Amino acid sequence: MKFETKCIHGSGKRYDDTGAVSVPIFQTATFLHKGVGQSTGYDYSRLQNPTRESLEDTVAQLENGSAALAFATGMAAIATLMELFEPGSHIVASDDLYGGTHRLFEHVSNKNGIDVTLVDSTDIACLEAAIRPDTKAVYLETPSNPMMHVTDLRAVAQITRERGLLCIVDNTFLTPLYQRPLDLGADVVIHSGTKFLGGHNDTLAGLLVVRDTTLAERLRFLHKTTGACLAPFDSWLILRGIKTLGVRMARQQETAMQIAGYLKAHPAVDAVYYPGLKEHPGYDISCVQTTGFGSMLSFTVRDGAAARQVLERISLIGFAESLGGVETLMTYPMLQTHADIPEARRLAKGIDDRLLRLSVGLEASEDLIEDLDHALGGHE
Ligand SMILES: *Cc1c(COP(=O)(O)O)cnc(C)c1O
Protein backbone atom coordinates (compact mmCIF):
# COMPACT_ATOMS: atom_id res chain seq x y z
CA MET A 1 0.00 0.00 0.00
CA LYS A 2 1.29 3.46 -0.88
CA PHE A 3 2.10 6.03 1.80
CA GLU A 4 -0.83 8.37 1.09
CA THR A 5 -3.26 5.47 1.35
CA LYS A 6 -1.78 4.36 4.67
CA CYS A 7 -2.19 7.93 5.95
CA ILE A 8 -5.92 7.71 5.36
CA HIS A 9 -6.65 4.12 6.29
CA GLY A 10 -4.14 3.81 9.12
CA SER A 11 -4.04 0.42 10.76
CA GLY A 12 -7.49 -0.40 9.37
CA LYS A 13 -8.50 -1.77 12.75
CA ARG A 14 -12.13 -1.13 13.77
CA TYR A 15 -12.86 -0.54 17.41
CA ASP A 16 -16.63 -0.88 17.33
CA ASP A 17 -19.25 -2.34 15.01
CA THR A 18 -21.24 0.79 14.15
CA GLY A 19 -19.36 1.17 10.89
CA ALA A 20 -18.03 4.58 11.92
CA VAL A 21 -15.60 5.71 9.22
CA SER A 22 -13.65 7.89 11.66
CA VAL A 23 -11.99 6.14 14.61
CA PRO A 24 -14.12 6.96 17.68
CA ILE A 25 -12.71 9.12 20.47
CA PHE A 26 -12.67 6.76 23.44
CA GLN A 27 -12.91 9.45 26.07
CA THR A 28 -12.61 7.19 29.06
CA ALA A 29 -10.12 6.88 31.86
CA THR A 30 -10.72 3.22 32.54
CA PHE A 31 -12.35 0.04 31.18
CA LEU A 32 -14.67 -2.47 32.82
CA HIS A 33 -13.59 -6.04 33.39
CA LYS A 34 -16.26 -8.64 32.63
CA GLY A 35 -14.89 -10.88 35.34
CA VAL A 36 -11.76 -11.63 37.27
CA GLY A 37 -8.91 -12.04 34.82
CA GLN A 38 -11.14 -11.01 31.91
CA SER A 39 -9.58 -7.87 30.48
CA THR A 40 -10.78 -6.59 27.11
CA GLY A 41 -7.16 -5.75 26.39
CA TYR A 42 -7.83 -2.21 27.59
CA ASP A 43 -7.49 -1.63 31.32
CA TYR A 44 -6.70 2.01 31.95
CA SER A 45 -6.08 4.79 29.43
CA ARG A 46 -2.52 5.48 30.54
CA LEU A 47 -1.71 1.89 29.55
CA GLN A 48 -3.88 1.49 26.46
CA ASN A 49 -6.56 3.55 24.79
CA PRO A 50 -8.07 2.55 21.43
CA THR A 51 -7.91 6.04 19.89
CA ARG A 52 -4.28 6.46 20.91
CA GLU A 53 -3.51 2.93 19.76
CA SER A 54 -4.96 3.71 16.35
CA LEU A 55 -2.65 6.71 16.05
CA GLU A 56 0.34 4.72 17.29
CA ASP A 57 -0.28 1.89 14.85
CA THR A 58 -0.69 4.36 11.98
CA VAL A 59 2.56 6.18 12.74
CA ALA A 60 4.45 2.90 13.23
CA GLN A 61 3.32 1.84 9.76
CA LEU A 62 4.22 5.16 8.17
CA GLU A 63 7.75 5.03 9.61
CA ASN A 64 8.15 1.29 8.87
CA GLY A 65 8.56 0.62 12.58
CA SER A 66 7.18 -2.19 14.70
CA ALA A 67 5.69 0.10 17.33
CA ALA A 68 5.01 3.75 18.12
CA LEU A 69 4.12 5.45 21.38
CA ALA A 70 2.17 8.70 21.55
CA PHE A 71 3.01 11.30 24.17
CA ALA A 72 1.42 14.53 25.34
CA THR A 73 4.12 16.60 23.60
CA GLY A 74 7.29 16.11 21.62
CA MET A 75 9.33 17.06 24.68
CA ALA A 76 7.50 14.44 26.78
CA ALA A 77 8.53 11.85 24.17
CA ILE A 78 12.17 12.95 24.30
CA ALA A 79 12.23 13.18 28.11
CA THR A 80 10.81 9.65 28.36
CA LEU A 81 13.33 8.38 25.83
CA MET A 82 16.14 9.77 27.97
CA GLU A 83 14.97 7.47 30.80
CA LEU A 84 16.55 4.63 28.81
CA PHE A 85 19.95 5.90 29.87
CA GLU A 86 21.60 5.23 33.23
CA PRO A 87 23.62 7.86 35.08
CA GLY A 88 27.15 7.79 33.67
CA SER A 89 25.92 7.44 30.08
CA HIS A 90 27.22 9.65 27.32
CA ILE A 91 25.37 10.81 24.23
CA VAL A 92 26.74 12.47 21.11
CA ALA A 93 24.22 14.92 19.65
CA SER A 94 23.98 17.36 16.74
CA ASP A 95 24.92 20.85 17.85
CA ASP A 96 22.04 22.48 15.95
CA LEU A 97 19.09 21.12 17.90
CA TYR A 98 15.58 22.22 18.70
CA GLY A 99 16.02 24.65 21.62
CA GLY A 100 13.80 22.62 23.97
CA THR A 101 15.88 19.49 23.39
CA HIS A 102 19.01 21.44 24.09
CA ARG A 103 17.47 22.74 27.32
CA LEU A 104 16.44 19.21 28.35
CA PHE A 105 19.96 17.86 27.77
CA GLU A 106 21.63 20.77 29.52
CA HIS A 107 19.39 21.18 32.55
CA VAL A 108 17.65 17.84 33.11
CA SER A 109 19.63 15.01 31.51
CA ASN A 110 22.89 16.43 32.83
CA LYS A 111 21.54 16.56 36.37
CA ASN A 112 20.54 12.91 35.94
CA GLY A 113 24.15 11.99 35.17
CA ILE A 114 23.85 11.88 31.39
CA ASP A 115 26.62 13.73 29.62
CA VAL A 116 25.88 15.10 26.16
CA THR A 117 28.58 16.18 23.72
CA LEU A 118 27.38 18.42 20.91
CA VAL A 119 29.10 18.05 17.56
CA ASP A 120 28.65 19.21 14.01
CA SER A 121 26.96 16.02 12.83
CA THR A 122 27.36 16.96 9.17
CA ASP A 123 31.04 16.17 9.78
CA ILE A 124 31.01 12.38 10.20
CA ALA A 125 34.67 12.17 11.26
CA CYS A 126 34.05 14.76 13.97
CA LEU A 127 30.98 12.85 15.16
CA GLU A 128 32.91 9.59 15.28
CA ALA A 129 35.77 11.21 17.17
CA ALA A 130 33.35 12.31 19.91
CA ILE A 131 32.31 8.72 20.68
CA ARG A 132 33.74 7.45 24.00
CA PRO A 133 33.68 4.09 25.78
CA ASP A 134 30.66 5.25 27.80
CA THR A 135 28.74 6.54 24.76
CA LYS A 136 25.32 4.94 24.42
CA ALA A 137 23.63 6.85 21.63
CA VAL A 138 23.89 9.37 18.83
CA TYR A 139 21.07 11.89 18.68
CA LEU A 140 20.37 13.73 15.43
CA GLU A 141 18.07 16.23 13.80
CA THR A 142 18.19 16.41 10.04
CA PRO A 143 17.47 18.86 8.54
CA SER A 144 18.36 20.67 11.72
CA ASN A 145 16.56 23.49 13.43
CA PRO A 146 16.97 26.32 12.51
CA MET A 147 20.06 26.16 10.29
CA MET A 148 18.81 23.31 8.07
CA HIS A 149 22.04 21.30 8.24
CA VAL A 150 21.70 17.87 6.67
CA THR A 151 23.37 14.83 8.25
CA ASP A 152 24.18 11.67 6.31
CA LEU A 153 21.97 9.20 8.17
CA ARG A 154 23.31 6.04 6.54
CA ALA A 155 26.87 7.00 7.44
CA VAL A 156 25.93 7.67 11.08
CA ALA A 157 23.82 4.51 11.33
CA GLN A 158 26.76 2.46 10.10
CA ILE A 159 28.92 3.85 12.90
CA THR A 160 26.27 3.33 15.58
CA ARG A 161 25.60 -0.23 14.40
CA GLU A 162 29.31 -1.14 14.45
CA ARG A 163 29.68 0.25 17.94
CA GLY A 164 26.41 -0.99 19.39
CA LEU A 165 24.99 2.49 19.99
CA LEU A 166 21.43 3.67 19.51
CA CYS A 167 20.88 5.99 16.56
CA ILE A 168 18.08 8.42 17.44
CA VAL A 169 16.62 10.76 14.82
CA ASP A 170 14.16 13.59 15.35
CA ASN A 171 12.17 13.40 12.10
CA THR A 172 9.79 16.29 12.86
CA PHE A 173 10.83 18.46 9.91
CA LEU A 174 10.39 15.94 7.08
CA THR A 175 8.01 13.31 8.50
CA PRO A 176 7.96 9.78 7.03
CA LEU A 177 6.49 11.25 3.84
CA TYR A 178 9.95 12.52 2.91
CA GLN A 179 12.39 10.70 5.19
CA ARG A 180 12.29 7.29 6.92
CA PRO A 181 15.21 7.11 9.32
CA LEU A 182 14.48 3.51 10.38
CA ASP A 183 14.92 2.42 6.76
CA LEU A 184 18.27 4.22 6.70
CA GLY A 185 19.46 2.34 9.81
CA ALA A 186 18.28 4.46 12.74
CA ASP A 187 16.86 2.78 15.86
CA VAL A 188 14.51 5.42 17.23
CA VAL A 189 12.48 8.08 15.44
CA ILE A 190 11.09 11.06 17.33
CA HIS A 191 8.27 13.34 16.27
CA SER A 192 6.80 16.46 17.59
CA GLY A 193 3.33 15.53 16.33
CA THR A 194 2.44 19.14 17.09
CA LYS A 195 4.04 20.08 13.79
CA PHE A 196 3.46 18.44 10.37
CA LEU A 197 1.67 15.30 11.55
CA GLY A 198 -1.05 17.30 13.33
CA GLY A 199 -0.56 20.04 10.79
CA HIS A 200 -3.15 22.56 11.97
CA ASN A 201 -1.43 24.43 14.81
CA ASP A 202 -4.21 23.25 17.11
CA THR A 203 -2.76 20.62 19.42
CA LEU A 204 0.44 19.28 20.94
CA ALA A 205 1.69 15.72 20.62
CA GLY A 206 4.86 13.65 20.52
CA LEU A 207 5.80 10.20 19.21
CA LEU A 208 8.57 7.66 19.49
CA VAL A 209 8.84 4.98 16.81
CA VAL A 210 11.13 1.93 16.87
CA ARG A 211 11.62 -1.25 14.91
CA ASP A 212 13.27 -3.47 17.56
CA THR A 213 10.60 -5.17 19.65
CA THR A 214 12.71 -5.39 22.82
CA LEU A 215 13.37 -1.66 22.66
CA ALA A 216 9.65 -1.12 22.03
CA GLU A 217 8.83 -3.01 25.23
CA ARG A 218 11.34 -0.99 27.26
CA LEU A 219 9.85 2.24 25.96
CA ARG A 220 6.29 1.03 26.51
CA PHE A 221 7.20 0.35 30.13
CA LEU A 222 8.61 3.88 30.52
CA HIS A 223 5.56 5.37 28.75
CA LYS A 224 3.07 3.80 31.13
CA THR A 225 5.28 4.34 34.16
CA THR A 226 6.12 8.00 33.66
CA GLY A 227 2.66 8.68 32.21
CA ALA A 228 2.94 11.51 29.70
CA CYS A 229 0.65 9.73 27.25
CA LEU A 230 -1.48 11.50 24.64
CA ALA A 231 -5.15 12.11 25.46
CA PRO A 232 -7.85 10.43 23.32
CA PHE A 233 -9.14 13.63 21.73
CA ASP A 234 -5.64 14.84 20.89
CA SER A 235 -4.84 11.41 19.46
CA TRP A 236 -7.87 11.78 17.21
CA LEU A 237 -6.77 15.25 16.06
CA ILE A 238 -3.35 13.93 15.07
CA LEU A 239 -4.95 10.98 13.27
CA ARG A 240 -7.15 13.40 11.38
CA GLY A 241 -4.15 15.58 10.53
CA ILE A 242 -2.22 12.61 9.17
CA LYS A 243 -4.99 11.84 6.67
CA THR A 244 -4.00 14.94 4.66
CA LEU A 245 -0.25 14.81 5.35
CA GLY A 246 0.66 13.89 1.77
CA VAL A 247 -1.21 16.69 0.01
CA ARG A 248 -0.40 19.27 2.67
CA MET A 249 3.33 18.68 2.64
CA ALA A 250 3.57 18.44 -1.13
CA ARG A 251 1.89 21.83 -1.56
CA GLN A 252 3.79 23.39 1.34
CA GLN A 253 7.05 22.22 -0.19
CA GLU A 254 6.14 23.63 -3.58
CA THR A 255 5.41 27.01 -2.02
CA ALA A 256 8.58 26.84 0.12
CA MET A 257 10.63 26.32 -3.03
CA GLN A 258 9.03 29.39 -4.62
CA ILE A 259 9.63 31.46 -1.51
CA ALA A 260 13.25 30.28 -1.25
CA GLY A 261 13.77 31.45 -4.84
CA TYR A 262 12.06 34.74 -4.14
CA LEU A 263 14.11 35.40 -0.98
CA LYS A 264 17.37 34.47 -2.70
CA ALA A 265 16.77 37.14 -5.32
CA HIS A 266 15.72 39.82 -2.82
CA PRO A 267 18.36 42.52 -2.20
CA ALA A 268 17.46 42.79 1.51
CA VAL A 269 18.13 39.08 2.10
CA ASP A 270 21.71 37.94 2.70
CA ALA A 271 21.43 34.16 2.91
CA VAL A 272 18.72 31.55 2.46
CA TYR A 273 19.01 28.15 4.14
CA TYR A 274 16.79 25.62 2.39
CA PRO A 275 17.98 22.10 1.51
CA GLY A 276 16.00 22.23 -1.74
CA LEU A 277 18.37 24.87 -3.14
CA LYS A 278 21.15 23.30 -5.23
CA GLU A 279 23.81 25.42 -3.54
CA HIS A 280 22.77 24.19 -0.06
CA PRO A 281 25.62 22.05 1.32
CA GLY A 282 23.15 19.29 2.20
CA TYR A 283 21.45 19.20 -1.20
CA ASP A 284 23.26 16.12 -2.54
CA ILE A 285 22.77 14.04 0.63
CA SER A 286 19.14 15.12 0.73
CA CYS A 287 18.67 13.82 -2.79
CA VAL A 288 19.82 10.35 -1.72
CA GLN A 289 18.27 9.99 1.72
CA THR A 290 15.02 11.94 1.42
CA THR A 291 12.23 12.13 -1.12
CA GLY A 292 11.51 15.79 -0.44
CA PHE A 293 12.99 18.92 1.13
CA GLY A 294 10.05 19.96 3.28
CA SER A 295 8.78 23.46 3.87
CA MET A 296 11.06 24.86 6.56
CA LEU A 297 13.58 27.50 5.66
CA SER A 298 15.65 30.14 7.40
CA PHE A 299 17.13 33.34 6.07
CA THR A 300 19.16 36.30 7.22
CA VAL A 301 18.66 40.00 6.66
CA ARG A 302 21.17 42.84 7.04
CA ASP A 303 20.99 43.37 10.79
CA GLY A 304 18.86 43.00 13.89
CA ALA A 305 16.86 46.15 13.13
CA ALA A 306 15.95 44.80 9.70
CA ALA A 307 14.88 41.46 11.22
CA ARG A 308 12.66 43.20 13.77
CA GLN A 309 11.14 45.29 11.02
CA VAL A 310 10.24 42.17 9.03
CA LEU A 311 8.60 40.65 12.11
CA GLU A 312 6.63 43.81 12.76
CA ARG A 313 5.52 44.25 9.16
CA ILE A 314 4.33 40.75 8.29
CA SER A 315 0.57 40.60 8.57
CA LEU A 316 -0.68 37.46 6.82
CA ILE A 317 2.32 35.50 8.07
CA GLY A 318 2.07 35.05 11.82
CA PHE A 319 4.92 35.89 14.17
CA ALA A 320 4.82 32.81 16.38
CA GLU A 321 6.78 29.79 17.49
CA SER A 322 6.00 26.40 16.02
CA LEU A 323 5.91 25.03 12.51
CA GLY A 324 4.38 22.53 10.17
CA GLY A 325 0.82 23.85 10.27
CA VAL A 326 -1.45 25.19 7.55
CA GLU A 327 -0.77 28.76 8.74
CA THR A 328 2.58 30.19 7.67
CA LEU A 329 4.57 31.25 10.72
CA MET A 330 7.74 33.22 11.15
CA THR A 331 9.95 32.67 14.17
CA TYR A 332 12.81 34.70 15.59
CA PRO A 333 14.96 31.77 16.84
CA MET A 334 17.23 34.00 18.90
CA LEU A 335 14.33 35.22 21.08
CA GLN A 336 11.97 32.26 20.81
CA THR A 337 12.88 28.63 20.11
CA HIS A 338 16.58 29.03 20.85
CA ALA A 339 16.54 31.69 23.58
CA ASP A 340 17.86 29.30 26.24
CA ILE A 341 20.97 28.32 24.32
CA PRO A 342 24.13 29.89 25.77
CA GLU A 343 24.85 33.00 23.72
CA ALA A 344 28.34 32.07 22.57
CA ARG A 345 27.16 28.70 21.26
CA ARG A 346 24.09 30.23 19.69
CA LEU A 347 26.11 32.86 17.84
CA ALA A 348 28.72 30.32 16.77
CA LYS A 349 25.92 28.36 15.08
CA GLY A 350 24.73 31.44 13.21
CA ILE A 351 21.61 31.89 15.35
CA ASP A 352 22.00 35.64 15.64
CA ASP A 353 19.76 38.70 15.52
CA ARG A 354 19.66 38.59 11.71
CA LEU A 355 18.22 35.08 11.42
CA LEU A 356 14.53 34.44 10.76
CA ARG A 357 12.85 31.04 10.35
CA LEU A 358 9.84 30.46 8.16
CA SER A 359 7.42 27.55 8.29
CA VAL A 360 5.58 27.70 4.99
CA GLY A 361 1.90 26.82 5.26
CA LEU A 362 -0.91 26.29 2.81
CA GLU A 363 -1.88 29.83 1.83
CA ALA A 364 -1.51 30.81 -1.83
CA SER A 365 2.16 31.48 -2.59
CA GLU A 366 1.27 34.82 -4.23
CA ASP A 367 -0.24 36.09 -0.98
CA LEU A 368 2.74 34.94 1.08
CA ILE A 369 5.22 36.55 -1.30
CA GLU A 370 3.22 39.78 -1.28
CA ASP A 371 3.34 39.78 2.52
CA LEU A 372 7.10 39.14 2.52
CA ASP A 373 7.58 41.81 -0.13
CA HIS A 374 5.84 44.35 2.05
CA ALA A 375 7.80 43.26 5.12
CA LEU A 376 11.21 43.26 3.45
CA GLY A 377 10.79 46.43 1.43
CA GLY A 378 11.09 50.00 2.46
CA HIS A 379 14.06 49.86 4.80
CA GLU A 380 16.86 50.52 2.34
C1 LIG B 1 8.66 21.40 18.39
C2 LIG B 1 9.78 20.44 18.32
C3 LIG B 1 10.06 19.57 19.39
C4 LIG B 1 9.27 19.61 20.67
O1 LIG B 1 7.95 19.22 20.48
P1 LIG B 1 6.71 19.80 21.36
O2 LIG B 1 5.56 19.10 20.76
O3 LIG B 1 6.69 21.27 21.20
O4 LIG B 1 6.99 19.41 22.77
C5 LIG B 1 11.10 18.67 19.22
N1 LIG B 1 11.84 18.64 18.10
C6 LIG B 1 11.62 19.47 17.06
C7 LIG B 1 12.46 19.39 15.85
C8 LIG B 1 10.58 20.40 17.15
O5 LIG B 1 10.37 21.22 16.12
Side-chain angles (χ1 to χ4, degrees), residues 73-75 78 98 141 145 170 172-173 192 194-195 205 323:
T73 67
M75 287 319 302
I78 302 169
Y98 174 69
E141 266 180 46
N145 183 359
D170 184 329
T172 298
F173 271 29
S192 169
T194 313
K195 316 295 169 55
L323 61 106

Side-chain angles (χ1 to χ4, degrees), residues 49-205:
N49 177 280
T51 317
R52 192 174 73 231
E53 180 185 276
S54 184
L55 169 65
E56 293 172 340
D57 291 350
T58 300
V59 175
Q61 279 194 22
L62 296 178
E63 285 284 7
N64 287 335
S66 72
L69 295 164
F71 293 83
T73 67
M75 287 319 302
I78 302 169
T80 305
L81 177 67
M82 294 306 285
E83 296 293 336
L84 281 177
F85 305 106
E86 304 286 331
S89 303
H90 173 246
I91 292 174
V92 177
S94 321
D95 60 1
D96 187 35
L97 285 177
Y98 174 69
T101 305
H102 194 282
R103 184 171 58 220
L104 178 80
F105 287 169
E106 185 119 316
H107 297 287
V108 181
S109 305
N110 248 332
K111 159 185 81 65
N112 294 341
I114 298 162
D115 189 19
V116 181
T117 301
L118 301 174
V119 297
D120 175 358
S121 58
T122 63
D123 181 343
I124 301 293
C126 158
L127 181 144
E128 192 165 18
I131 295 174
R132 314 192 307 218
D134 55 351
T135 304
K136 299 287 185 260
V138 173
Y139 186 105
L140 306 168
E141 266 180 46
T142 178
S144 67
N145 183 359
M147 300 308 290
M148 310 303 296
H149 295 306
V150 175
T151 295
D152 183 340
L153 287 179
R154 280 194 189 88
V156 176
Q158 188 179 338
I159 293 169
T160 54
R161 199 176 321 115
E162 280 165 6
R163 305 208 183 203
L165 313 179
L166 283 182
C167 177
I168 302 165
V169 179
D170 184 329
N171 200 26
T172 298
F173 271 29
L174 289 183
T175 83
L177 176 64
Y178 291 143
Q179 174 168 271
R180 300 200 195 126
L182 298 179
D183 289 354
L184 300 169
D187 302 292
V188 182
V189 167
I190 298 168
H191 279 283
S192 169
T194 313
K195 316 295 169 55
F196 289 98
L197 297 182
H200 293 74
N201 290 323
D202 57 9
T203 193
L204 304 179

